Amino acid sequence: MIRRLCRRAVPVTVLLLTGCTLGPDFQKPDSWSPESWFSTPQAPPVPSAPVAEPVRADWWAVFKDDELTALEHRAADANLDVRTAALRLAESRAQRRITAADEFPQVNGDASYVRQKPSPLGEFSLLSPGGGSGGASAGGGASGIPASAPIKPFNLWQYGFDASWELDLWGKVRRAIESSDANIEASAEAKRDTLLSVMAEVARDYLQLRQVQAELKIAKENVATSEDSLRLTQVQARNGLATDLDTETGGGQLSNVAATVPQFEEREAAAINQLSFLVGEAPRTLSAELSAREPIPPVPPQVPIGLPSELAERRPDIREAEAKLHAATPRSASPRPPSIRASR
């Protein structure tokens, strides 16, 4: 009986001891990985495509950048090349008014006023007796002016005018006016061409500035990363986990990365100075305004380029050349005066 109980108690005891294992059971942890390498999922870039739509006058507005818009307006108002072109346009208009004046009669007038008082010792002294024989007489005579007689001052008024009018029978003046109108149009197109070139240069330099600032930011982040890596390598070297060669390699890498920062800073300063020149300001004038690193303006999804048939008509330089041709045509067609030949 006792043996039978021992046989049954041994398996129960073994089972009880097996169930009393120290520590919890192992459970495989759930691995987690982000869906994107960036903090927030980025939308795929939208490709920029040209479309056959009318070109906006403020074409720079497609970048949706307030700073760029402000720079474009300042360049249009204060750029030296644009102001020079505007003065040439005003000169052409003034020359046109001078040419158009030949259509009307020309009147010239003048007037003068003089108050005089003759001297008794001058020409009037010849009227006295003995005046023509060598000198003026102190006394008077019946035929002369007495020395004691007062000579009153008198007023002398002179005025006159002349008028001339040449009839434009052969259309010479009309052709000259037509040529002047074409010169005004050419000057206006030259101003538009200059303005368009300046504003395009402003947009290009501004985009390059933002690109350089983005590269400068990355370069400074690389310097900070290299400094952290060098400090970690130095700690490992002190604890025997790295060699002096690893430390020197990290220091050289840090020097190479840090050497790129002054290059980007120089390019940034050059871009700011170029924009200052375009808006008619002294160098470094826009440093405080443009030193804040703004993101690069996004690429517009659609770029209106107009119709191919309108491309040549939209270019100011082509319209300027056409206006100059128009200005030269009336001058070449104007009649020449007949030549006079002298013969012996």
Side-chain angles (χ1 to χ4, degrees), residues 204-218:
R204 187 178 71 88
D205 291 344
Y206 180 78
L207 295 177
Q208 287 184 349
L209 171 64
R210 295 311 185 194
Q211 176 66 31
V212 169
Q213 289 178 342
E215 294 176 352
L216 177 60
K217 179 181 178 182
I218 295 175

Side-chain angles (χ1 to χ4, degrees), residues 11-338:
V12 174
T13 304
V14 173
L15 291 174
L16 291 175
L17 293 176
T18 305
C20 297
T21 307
L22 182 64
D25 296 336
F26 171 77
Q27 294 182 357
K28 184 178 180 180
D30 296 333
S31 59
W32 176 87
S33 60
E35 298 179 358
S36 173
W37 292 113
F38 304 96
S39 58
T40 57
Q42 295 184 351
V46 179
S48 180
V51 292
E53 294 181 358
V55 180
R56 298 178 51 178
D58 54 342
W59 49 265
W60 55 87
V62 298
F63 296 103
K64 299 180 180 180
D65 192 293
D66 296 336
E67 185 65 32
L68 175 59
T69 301
L71 290 175
E72 295 288 1
H73 288 294
R74 293 175 63 177
D77 295 335
N79 183 264
L80 299 180
D81 293 336
V82 176
R83 299 171 80 176
T84 302
L87 292 176
R88 290 175 180 171
L89 177 59
E91 180 184 0
S92 300
R93 291 173 176 170
Q95 187 63 37
R96 196 268 183 195
R97 289 192 293 267
I98 296 174
T99 304
D102 294 337
E103 286 186 317
F104 305 97
Q106 297 183 1
V107 180
N108 296 323
D110 58 81
S112 63
Y113 164 74
V114 178
R115 183 173 178 83
Q116 294 182 347
K117 180 181 180 181
S119 172
L121 301 178
E123 297 177 353
F124 286 92
S125 65
L126 301 177
L127 301 177
S128 62
S133 59
S137 174
S143 60
I145 300 177
S148 60
I151 302 177
K152 296 181 180 181
F154 61 92
N155 300 325
L156 180 61
W157 297 84
Q158 293 182 349
Y159 56 89
F161 73 93
D162 63 301
S164 63
W165 187 19
E166 181 180 356
L167 297 178
D168 189 21
L169 298 178
W170 305 104
K172 178 181 179 181
V173 178
R174 293 192 298 271
R175 288 297 187 182
I177 295 176
E178 180 184 354
S179 178
S180 298
D181 291 336
N183 283 329
I184 292 176
E185 184 179 356
S187 299
E189 296 299 340
K191 178 185 176 182
R192 294 189 187 97
D193 188 18
T194 303
L195 181 61
L196 180 60
S197 301
V198 169
M199 301 184 84
E201 185 68 19
V202 169
R204 187 178 71 88
D205 291 344
Y206 180 78
L207 295 177
Q208 287 184 349
L209 171 64
R210 295 311 185 194
Q211 176 66 31
V212 169
Q213 289 178 342
E215 294 176 352
L216 177 60
K217 179 181 178 182
I218 295 175
K220 290 183 176 181
E221 292 176 353
N222 291 337
V223 170
T225 302
S226 299
E227 290 176 349
D228 294 340
S229 178
L230 178 60
R231 284 193 294 267
L232 179 60
T233 304
Q234 291 173 349
V235 171
Q236 292 177 345
R238 286 194 297 268
N239 292 277
L241 299 178
T243 62
D244 294 338
L245 178 60
D246 297 333
T247 305
E248 295 296 332
T249 302
Q253 183 179 0
L254 175 60
S255 300
N256 293 334
V257 175
T260 61
V261 174
Q263 300 177 5
F264 289 118
E265 291 177 345
E266 181 181 1
R267 292 172 56 187
E268 180 186 16
I272 293 177
N273 290 338
Q274 181 66 18
L275 288 172
S276 301
F277 172 76
L278 291 174
V279 298
E281 299 290 346
R284 300 182 181 179
T285 303
L286 302 179
S287 297
E289 180 180 349
L290 298 177
S291 58
R293 294 177 177 85
E294 299 292 339
I296 302 175
V299 178
Q302 293 182 346
V303 180
I305 60 175
L307 299 177
S309 58
E310 299 175 352
L311 178 60
E313 298 179 357
R314 289 204 321 266
R315 291 186 53 172
D317 55 343
I318 295 180
R319 295 200 302 264
E320 179 187 1
E322 182 180 356
K324 288 182 177 180
L325 177 61
H326 186 186
T329 302
R331 291 196 299 265
S332 62
S334 60
R336 297 181 180 178

Side-chain angles (χ1 to χ4, degrees), residues 338-344:
S339 59
I340 300 177
R341 298 182 181 181
S343 60
R344 296 181 179 178

